[in-house]
Amino acid sequence: MIAFIVRRLLTGLVLLAAITTFGFTLLYLGGGDIARKILGESADAQTVAQKSHELGLDRPVLAQYGDWVAHAFSGDFGSSWFTGQTVSAAIFSRLSVTLSLVIGTVLVVAVVSVVLGVLAATKRGWIDKVAQLLAILGHAIPGFLFAVGLVLFFALTLGWFDPTGYVPFTEDPTGWVKTVTLPVIALALGGIANVTQQIRGAVIDALRNDYVRTLRSHGIPERRVILKHVLRNAAGPALAVLAVIFVGLLGGAVIVEQVFAIPGLGQVAVQATTQGDIPLVMGLLVATGVIVIVFNLLVDLAQGWLNPKVRLS
Amino acid sequence: MISPAHTTDPEIVVAPRDASKVSLFRRVLRNPLAVASMGFLAIAVITALFAHFLAPHDPNTAVIQNVLAPPNSENLLGADGAGRDVLSRLIFGAQFSLAGALVALLTSMIIGVSGGLLAGYFGKWIDTAWTWVISLMMALPTIIVLLAARAVVGPSLWLSMLIFGVMLSPAFFRLVYASVTAVRNELYVDAARVSGLGDGRIIAVHILSVVRAPIVIQSAIVGGIALAVQSGLEFLGLGDINVPTWGSMLSDGFTNLYTSPMLILWPALAIGLTLISLTLLANSLRDELERSNAPRKQRRKAKAPAATEAEAPSEIIRHEESGAPDGEVVLEVTNLSVGYPSPDGGLKKVVHDVSLTVRRGEVHGLVGESGSGKTQTAWSILRLLPEGGKIVGGSIHFQGRDLAKVSERDMQKIRGRSIAYIPQEPMSNLDPSFTIGSQLVEPMQIQLGISAKEAKERALSLLARVGIPHPERTFAAYPHEVSGGMAQRVLIAGAISCNPDLLIADEPTTALDVTVQAEVLDLLRDLQKEFRMAVVLVTHNFGVVADLCDRVSVMRLGRIVETGPTEPIFESPRHPYTQELLGAILSEAEPRGPLVTAGNSASPSPKGAVR
Amino acid sequence: MSELLLDVQNVTVEYPGHGFRGNPFRALHSVSVDVHRGECVGLVGESGSGKTTLGRAVLGLAPVTDGQVLFRGEDIAHASRTDRRRLASDIQVVFQDPYTSLNPSLTVEQILSEPLDVRKVPRSESSKRIKDLFDMVRLPADAGNRLPREFSGGQRQRIAIARALALQPALIVCDEPVSALDLSTQARVLELFKDIQEQTQVAYLFVSHDLEVVRHISHRVAVMYRGEIVEFGDGDQVTSRPQHPYTQRLFFAAPVADPKAQARRREERRQLLAAQNA
């Protein structure tokens, strides 16, 4: 088991190295004259050259990358070119907001999908129809469009929730619920559609297995057959989809945060992008890469716990 | 006695024409939702193609006095926050939004499909390299990458859609890769290779034909995702302001949400309807595809109910008892019929009026070929028919109750406790996620109400009883860690764990090697004697019948055609079908003998010796 | 003695292990067997005995790591793709599973014309050849424009046989061609194999787990156990009076379809096992 974790961690590190190398090369080579961009069109050539030197941009890319990596290992990802704030500070202050949104969504997706998926697979009938309809809608309508609809209806028309803003849970739990509910619903819809379908299919497949008949032949109650045996075997494929969904959620959160004016990573990302603030963009790549790798590791561990073949190999 | 003369070769009669041969796309046209979706998409595409002729105004011309103008004769849908005509922007938006999505779609398709084909078909290092690149792409949120790219290259619809296409290529790669690796190991690809086909031709004929339809479906899905993400980016205000797209209209509408909420409606509708159409189209294509593949899967199970009602019921031939049968009757099945709902709404019977009596300590064989209804009969005694299957007539008397009418709750108490079951395939009948021990202990705790400790002791002694050399080790093992023969012994141990009165064994040795089969038959015989169980043994193998059964019923097309004690049936079969089956057994036939060629016979070569 | 067609000499097959340190899996240990023109040599054994691997090695579908596979005197164990393509008209195959050995999306005519097309046989000639093939395997002439799923298992196996015969090969490797079929169908398909052999003088390397099937179809029989041939000789001799202890166990393990004879065989098996274990 420990060898398994170590192997996955190493794979994650290699992946992270690949992401940073790739990202760094593209960002620093493809960006054109960065100093000129920072200073604006009016600056004279000498000031631009000086700025370039100041930022180390006149050195070979490889050397710049080496510096970046060396600093990154000590937790220093440089500073924003425009605000002067350190990259780690800029990202860390927003990370908890985005993560609470995304993790909340993952939990909602997991719980709703398991319940709905199992019911749709075993009961069929109307509940299956509802699940299918939800799947089509959730699949077709992008989260941010759905978010706009939610704002219009629940916040502006009914006034049940706050249309914009974010209150940390530690400050005011009710306020947190009021601000976070709509974004989570908007984000979760797509995931629920996808994972419910996956669980429904996996449960139907698992129910067709020969061992289900054998379990029933032992007189094991149907509920126990489904909740203990079928669900356990269906969980593997569902978890795999959850891992894919998670990556999509991080991206989706960026846009949905804009709709609700939530001060998360999305704001930093959009700002850094429009300004071409490359150290900040680089920091964002690393942060999301690390989050995804950690989440995938958790999913792999869960898979190993669920499936003895994975665990023992 | 091979190929009896009294029947024409039934193999020659070919089944009636299969209707599902109609092409997939033509069948989709019968689905109204799919037709509506295609209609909407066609309108959107035509609008996009002829935007120049359809739009009343230039989409980018801003007229200051028209800012946020309500609908009027000049601007049918009003004007936006910059004073541009909404209708014209909507029409040109179709052009640019769809073209952008198409760029992403084509990019991802070209990369994903070719990569999937190469990696899947040739494997080795190509496979490793591609898989790495793909997992790298999948580890990053696409939006973040697009934002990063935007930071470098600035706002360009085409470039960002090109990059997005690259990021989306795993969608095609994984689909094609999975299909190709599955198909590559299919026997028909081996057969093509043996026929002398080159790799190019094998990929073109055998592999592309399999992945073609899934690629079309995936295209609808990926096209939708591309449009959604493109709109999302533009919504964030990251698009090129000079390119009118639905997404940039959304962005403008959202800015003016409080003053003029109608502005967001039109682009939202256009995007929403396009995406829903694509999803519905993909869904109906997939449904049709699954439907056309279904019959094949069903037949491969070889247990699909195949009996028909067409056959006129003939007299059941009953052999005389040699003496008055003794022993209490354990199971009495009378005129049992089993049916499945057929697609036309009727009922397709697969078991017709089957009657059989099994006494304590007696083994009753149900023998027949595939589709004879023998397994269906066995499952209906357990009330474990596959989905849709129903007992539609007759009774199953067991311990004073009619199992055909007992509630599911009572049936759960009977199953495992009084009636036990041994399945055919040992490996697939154990839950792969739990240890063998826990699967033996669970039913004993439920049925006998004993403690976990007691159940474990019992399980260990059962494992020893069925001839497993290291009970402790097997108890802790997972199903995939033991051999097929061992797994079958485990299943037998599970079946007898609660001292059942009746054992239903469905082809218990068919999946096993001959030498293992002999051992398992010995074990079954010993256990049956020891526990004085009544046994219903389903098999297609007359050797197994001869080895174990006291009585036998021969089944054909859902009916019993001949029944009686085993010996007289083997010695003097009376029904033509029984005669045909027994005649087809090869052990009766002469060996072929050495090869005789013109004049001289091939003597065994020097290698022909015992080693 | 008729012409020596296939001569397998001390062939070893090893599959590479999984991962970096995975041990290679040796499926065949130095196996030798020979097949003459018009002859059927049966390969019998249980799962994991290597019988299917030997068939695949002859077809070039398994990695031969040692030894020679001589076909008409030429070593084909490591034949190049071009050589293999040329060999296709000499060596053909019929697989076990009649459901996966035919591409479900091609019509029967497309399946049968495929090997002919590769050889650039003209249309008119190939459609005539396909008609002859239908005749030979006793399928109706209108079977051509149907899909494989419209046929039963036995019929599909006839289609697979027709495909193998399309190029008039000298040798067909038959990998468990009747074990997925019902008893009565099995008997008919075996008869078909025999008839075709007598008509065309094609040779068979016939792989099966069933001693009775092999005894019925084969002139000579080789018994395989754990990747080796333990007994090889005259079919009647090997399948009725086996010499090797494993063949004896195999022989007595198969139940006979006669209650009295089976009771006797059971007793004989018990004595054999007692004697072998002693």
Side-chain angles (χ1 to χ4, degrees):
Chain A
M1 196 67 193
I2 288 166
F4 175 76
I5 297 175
V6 169
R7 203 163 55 225
R8 288 301 149 109
L9 273 176
L10 281 178
T11 318
L13 275 181
V14 175
L15 211 59
L16 202 60
I19 291 169
T20 53
T21 315
F22 191 67
F24 198 90
T25 319
L26 278 190
L27 286 171
Y28 282 80
L29 282 184
D33 194 345
I34 293 163
R36 162 72 63 193
K37 276 192 196 161
I38 298 173
L39 295 170
E41 292 300 319
S42 56
D44 59 74
Q46 203 198 332
T47 330
V48 172
Q50 199 189 333
K51 184 79 183 172
S52 266
H53 185 71
E54 199 182 301
L55 295 173
L57 292 171
D58 49 355
R59 294 163 56 215
V61 174
L62 206 63
Q64 293 184 45
Y65 180 58
D67 268 6
W68 185 87
V69 172
H71 284 119
F73 267 107
S74 57
D76 173 15
F77 292 89
S79 307
S80 160
W81 284 342
F82 296 92
T83 63
Q85 196 184 13
T86 64
V87 169
S88 3
I91 290 176
F92 259 113
S93 60
R94 318 293 179 90
L95 196 61
S96 63
V97 180
T98 302
L99 274 186
S100 74
L101 206 61
V102 171
I103 290 171
T105 309
V106 166
L107 291 179
V108 170
V109 168
V111 171
V112 175
S113 304
V114 167
V115 173
L116 206 58
V118 170
L119 284 178
T122 52
K123 302 267 187 261
R124 304 289 174 95
W126 66 268
I127 200 150
D128 196 16
K129 295 251 160 55
V130 169
Q132 303 277 0
L133 187 72
L134 200 71
I136 290 175
L137 284 181
H139 193 98
I141 302 191
F144 71 95
L145 212 56
F146 190 53
V148 173
L150 288 176
V151 169
L152 277 174
F153 190 68
F154 287 102
L156 296 184
T157 314
L158 295 176
W160 290 358
F161 300 99
D162 296 349
T164 56
Y166 176 80
V167 180
F169 183 80
T170 44
E171 278 175 28
D172 173 13
T174 3
W176 181 77
V177 169
K178 276 192 151 188
T179 49
V180 127
T181 305
L182 289 184
V184 165
I185 293 176
L187 273 175
L189 182 74
I192 290 174
N194 207 328
V195 181
T196 303
Q197 283 299 88
Q198 196 63 42
I199 291 186
R200 177 184 176 272
V203 167
I204 289 177
D205 281 352
L207 275 172
R208 285 196 191 121
N209 278 317
D210 288 342
Y211 61 77
V212 173
R213 186 184 309 111
T214 304
L215 288 168
R216 287 176 181 153
S217 83
H218 287 308
I220 295 172
E222 190 64 17
R223 181 181 291 252
R224 196 182 165 101
V225 170
I226 287 170
L227 294 183
K228 182 173 173 189
H229 295 273
V230 169
L231 200 55
R232 170 99 175 231
N233 285 289
L239 260 180
V241 178
L242 204 62
V244 175
I245 298 255
F246 181 80
V247 183
L249 279 181
L250 268 182
V254 169
I255 309 185
V256 168
E257 277 174 9
Q258 292 299 101
V259 176
F260 294 94
I262 293 172
L265 278 185
Q267 263 184 6
V268 193
V270 172
Q271 198 189 336
T273 303
T274 32
Q275 291 176 331
D277 197 341
I278 286 171
L280 206 49
V281 172
M282 212 40 216
L284 278 168
L285 273 180
V286 173
T288 45
V290 169
I291 295 173
V292 170
I293 286 165
V294 169
F295 187 80
N296 279 340
L297 181 69
L298 292 178
V299 167
D300 280 343
L301 288 180
Q303 293 279 28
W305 176 72
L306 282 169
N307 185 346
K309 270 189 211 168
V310 174
R311 200 183 324 155
L312 298 168
S313 69
Chain B
M1 259 286 294
I2 303 293
S3 39
H6 65 267
T7 46
T8 53
D9 195 341
E11 286 292 304
I12 306 300
V13 186
V14 176
R17 210 65 202 259
D18 192 338
S20 59
K21 212 181 150 184
V22 188
S23 87
L24 176 66
F25 298 98
R26 201 168 300 164
R27 270 178 293 140
V28 168
L29 283 180
R30 291 181 203 149
N31 179 342
L33 271 179
V35 173
S37 306
M38 281 192 265
F40 179 83
L41 291 175
I43 293 172
V45 169
I46 290 170
T47 312
L49 288 176
F50 299 103
H52 285 281
F53 305 100
L54 292 170
H57 298 278
D58 182 278
N60 288 328
T61 308
V63 183
I64 299 298
Q65 55 268 43
N66 279 355
V67 167
L68 296 179
N72 55 44
S73 56
E74 181 63 17
N75 306 108
L76 287 175
L77 296 178
D80 68 1
R84 295 167 295 193
D85 180 43
V86 170
L87 179 63
S88 304
R89 285 183 73 74
L90 199 60
I91 290 170
F92 272 97
Q95 191 174 56
F96 287 100
S97 298
L98 294 184
L102 195 66
V103 168
L105 172 61
L106 290 178
T107 313
S108 65
M109 199 194 289
I110 290 167
I111 297 177
V113 171
S114 54
L117 282 177
L118 290 176
Y121 189 77
F122 293 106
K124 295 181 190 154
W125 67 269
I126 306 183
D127 188 352
T128 319
W130 267 101
T131 313
W132 254 97
V133 172
I134 294 295
S135 56
L136 179 69
M137 284 199 264
M138 290 186 48
L140 276 179
T142 340
I143 302 266
I144 303 286
V145 173
L146 286 175
L147 289 178
R150 161 71 164 71
V152 176
V153 298
S156 160
L157 173 64
W158 312 117
L159 261 179
S160 64
M161 282 295 104
L162 198 73
I163 295 168
F164 187 48
V166 176
M167 295 297 295
L168 268 179
S169 55
F172 284 104
F173 177 87
R174 300 209 308 170
L175 172 80
V176 174
Y177 181 79
S179 312
V180 173
T181 41
V183 171
R184 186 177 59 171
N185 296 323
E186 288 278 4
L187 289 175
Y188 62 77
V189 171
D190 280 341
R193 216 167 277 162
V194 173
S195 291
L197 266 72
D199 288 327
R201 207 182 154 102
I202 289 177
I203 290 179
V205 176
H206 292 280
I207 292 181
L208 276 182
S209 66
V210 174
V211 296
R212 202 172 44 203
I215 285 177
V216 172
I217 295 168
Q218 191 75 327
S219 298
I221 295 169
V222 167
I225 295 173
L227 180 62
V229 166
Q230 177 203 75
S231 310
L233 280 180
E234 310 251 333
F235 175 78
L236 290 178
L238 297 176
D240 186 344
I241 46 162
N242 294 318
V243 179
T245 57
W246 290 339
S248 59
M249 294 179 72
L250 271 184
S251 175
D252 179 69
F254 190 65
T255 331
N256 300 301
L257 190 62
Y258 293 88
T259 43
S260 146
M262 286 298 279
L263 276 183
I264 207 167
L265 178 71
W266 303 114
L269 239 116
I271 295 169
L273 283 176
T274 310
L275 293 178
I276 288 180
S277 299
L278 284 170
T279 309
L280 284 176
L281 191 62
N283 273 5
S284 49
L285 279 170
R286 187 173 43 216
D287 287 351
E288 279 303 328
L289 192 68
E290 276 169 11
R291 200 167 303 158
S292 59
N293 287 343
R296 176 165 171 255
K297 272 187 196 152
Q298 232 178 33
R299 268 193 215 167
R300 280 184 66 172
K301 286 243 161 175
K303 268 182 186 163
T308 54
E309 266 175 301
E311 190 87 358
S314 56
E315 198 65 26
I316 300 172
I317 296 173
R318 290 170 205 281
H319 286 253
E320 292 303 313
E321 304 293 335
S322 47
D326 54 345
E328 63 169 306
V329 172
V330 176
L331 175 77
E332 174 115 56
V333 178
T334 319
N335 295 328
L336 176 74
S337 294
V338 175
Y340 284 80
S342 59
D344 55 34
L347 190 81
K348 186 177 161 179
K349 277 205 205 173
V350 296
V351 173
H352 303 261
D353 297 325
V354 161
S355 302
L356 50 104
T357 307
V358 189
R359 289 163 203 279
R360 179 162 293 282
E362 181 181 76
V363 182
H364 193 119
L366 281 181
V367 66
E369 301 192 307
S370 54
S372 63
K374 54 190 193 301
T375 297
Q376 299 289 327
T377 307
W379 284 345
S380 51
I381 296 170
L382 285 157
R383 282 262 303 273
L384 286 177
L385 287 165
E387 210 180 314
K390 263 204 319 253
I391 296 171
V392 293
S395 61
I396 304 167
H397 277 282
F398 175 76
Q399 292 179 342
R401 285 201 273 188
D402 181 1
L403 298 185
K405 297 197 174 67
V406 159
S407 76
E408 180 55 33
R409 203 197 189 94
D410 288 344
M411 199 63 216
Q412 263 173 22
K413 291 193 191 114
I414 296 171
R415 264 186 234 131
R417 181 80 183 84
S418 314
I419 306 182
Y421 166 69
I422 302 175
Q424 173 174 2
E425 277 288 335
M427 292 320 267
S428 67
N429 274 289
L430 288 166
D431 184 339
S433 301
F434 293 88
T435 60
I436 284 171
S438 79
Q439 295 185 58
L440 285 174
V441 165
E442 187 181 10
M444 280 196 272
Q445 282 188 277
I446 291 173
Q447 294 293 357
L448 305 176
I450 55 179
S451 71
K453 191 168 162 283
E454 202 179 332
K456 180 175 177 180
E457 276 166 18
R458 239 183 118 114
L460 287 174
S461 69
L462 278 168
L463 288 175
R465 173 66 193 86
V466 296
I468 283 174
H470 305 284
E472 290 274 359
R473 201 189 295 164
T474 305
F475 185 89
Y478 283 93
H480 69 269
E481 298 172 289
V482 302
S483 71
M486 284 297 142
Q488 192 61 301
R489 286 170 195 269
V490 168
L491 285 162
I492 292 172
I496 58 167
S497 65
C498 302
N499 287 334
D501 300 301
L502 173 65
L503 183 65
I504 312 276
D506 178 16
E507 306 261 15
T509 59
T510 305
L512 306 175
D513 271 330
V514 190
T515 47
V516 183
Q517 163 172 291
E519 292 164 12
V520 169
L521 287 176
D522 282 347
L523 174 64
L524 281 176
R525 186 182 312 100
D526 293 349
L527 290 173
Q528 188 265 338
K529 293 230 168 71
E530 186 179 326
F531 291 89
R532 291 253 305 147
M533 286 180 289
V535 178
V536 173
L537 180 90
V538 172
T539 184
H540 69 283
N541 186 334
F542 277 97
V544 171
V545 174
D547 189 61
L548 271 186
C549 297
D550 303 303
R551 304 173 63 84
V552 60
S553 295
V554 182
M555 289 191 72
R556 175 176 186 243
L557 298 177
R559 293 174 198 282
I560 291 181
V561 296
E562 185 161 4
T563 181
T566 307
E567 278 191 25
I569 289 194
F570 274 93
E571 270 162 25
S572 51
R574 297 218 298 269
H575 194 282
Y577 181 68
T578 318
Q579 291 168 351
E580 184 194 334
L581 283 182
L582 285 170
I585 292 168
L586 297 169
S587 56
E588 308 279 308
E590 282 299 299
R592 192 158 176 197
L595 174 66
V596 181
T597 45
N600 57 345
S601 67
S603 54
S605 75
K607 285 171 192 157
V610 181
R611 290 166 193 241
Chain C
M1 190 82 188
S2 65
E3 179 200 357
L4 176 64
L5 209 55
L6 178 74
D7 193 7
V8 175
Q9 294 183 347
N10 305 317
V11 159
T12 296
V13 168
E14 268 177 9
Y15 287 101
H18 291 286
F20 286 124
R21 291 157 300 172
N23 290 324
F25 170 66
R26 183 176 275 208
L28 287 182
H29 314 251
S30 188
V31 163
S32 302
V33 78
D34 59 304
V35 184
H36 293 253
R37 190 171 116 84
E39 185 190 30
C40 177
V41 171
L43 282 182
V44 69
E46 295 185 295
S47 53
S49 64
K51 57 188 191 303
T52 293
T53 307
L54 181 49
R56 291 180 72 85
V58 171
L59 293 167
L61 297 172
V64 174
T65 46
D66 199 15
Q68 287 183 308
V69 179
L70 298 175
F71 184 78
R72 290 192 173 129
E74 174 198 3
D75 187 9
I76 59 165
H78 305 283
S80 68
R81 275 171 192 275
T82 355
D83 287 340
R84 270 285 154 204
R85 220 164 292 167
R86 186 170 46 76
L87 278 169
S89 51
D90 283 324
I91 306 179
Q92 274 300 323
V93 66
V94 175
F95 286 113
Q96 166 177 12
D97 190 338
Y99 293 91
T100 58
S101 66
L102 304 173
N103 187 334
S105 55
L106 298 184
T107 65
V108 172
E109 178 139 10
Q110 284 168 323
I111 290 170
L112 294 186
S113 63
E114 191 167 60
L116 298 168
D117 291 349
V118 177
R119 298 230 144 37
K120 311 227 161 29
V121 177
R123 268 277 135 217
S124 59
E125 203 178 309
S126 89
S127 64
K128 187 182 166 298
R129 175 83 190 130
I130 290 170
K131 265 203 195 77
D132 292 347
L133 288 171
F134 280 149
D135 216 37
M136 216 169 200
V137 301
R138 294 169 211 155
L139 278 173
D142 68 341
N145 52 7
R146 290 164 180 250
L147 293 174
R149 68 157 170 269
E150 297 175 57
F151 296 88
S152 68
Q155 290 166 341
R156 284 170 189 236
Q157 209 54 306
R158 284 165 198 263
I159 298 168
I161 296 170
R163 172 177 56 193
L165 290 170
L167 296 173
Q168 294 168 299
L171 172 70
I172 301 182
V173 175
C174 309
D175 186 5
E176 301 261 15
V178 297
S179 46
L181 305 178
D182 269 334
L183 197 57
S184 48
T185 316
Q186 178 177 322
R188 279 189 214 100
V189 172
L190 279 179
E191 277 315 290
L192 180 67
F193 269 113
K194 269 165 122 179
D195 289 353
I196 288 171
Q197 185 159 55
E198 271 145 33
Q199 273 173 44
T200 62
Q201 287 300 298
V202 63
Y204 296 143
L205 186 64
F206 198 100
V207 176
S208 178
H209 70 280
D210 189 334
L211 209 56
E212 300 295 353
V213 166
V214 163
R215 161 188 151 98
H216 183 67
I217 185 94
S218 310
H219 299 106
R220 285 187 298 149
V221 171
V223 181
M224 297 195 67
Y225 182 57
R226 295 188 178 167
E228 289 179 57
I229 289 181
V230 295
E231 185 163 357
F232 182 25
D234 174 68
D236 188 23
Q237 164 80 38
V238 172
T239 59
S240 310
R241 295 173 300 280
Q243 302 293 305
H244 189 275
Y246 172 72
T247 322
Q248 291 171 343
R249 289 206 295 278
L250 199 63
F251 176 79
F252 286 110
V256 222
D258 175 347
K260 284 178 191 148
Q262 172 58 18
R264 273 199 305 279
R265 181 171 282 195
R266 211 156 53 211
E267 193 43 47
E268 286 166 338
R269 173 170 169 270
R270 198 163 292 151
Q271 286 167 5
L272 174 82
L273 289 182
Q276 286 190 356
N277 288 337

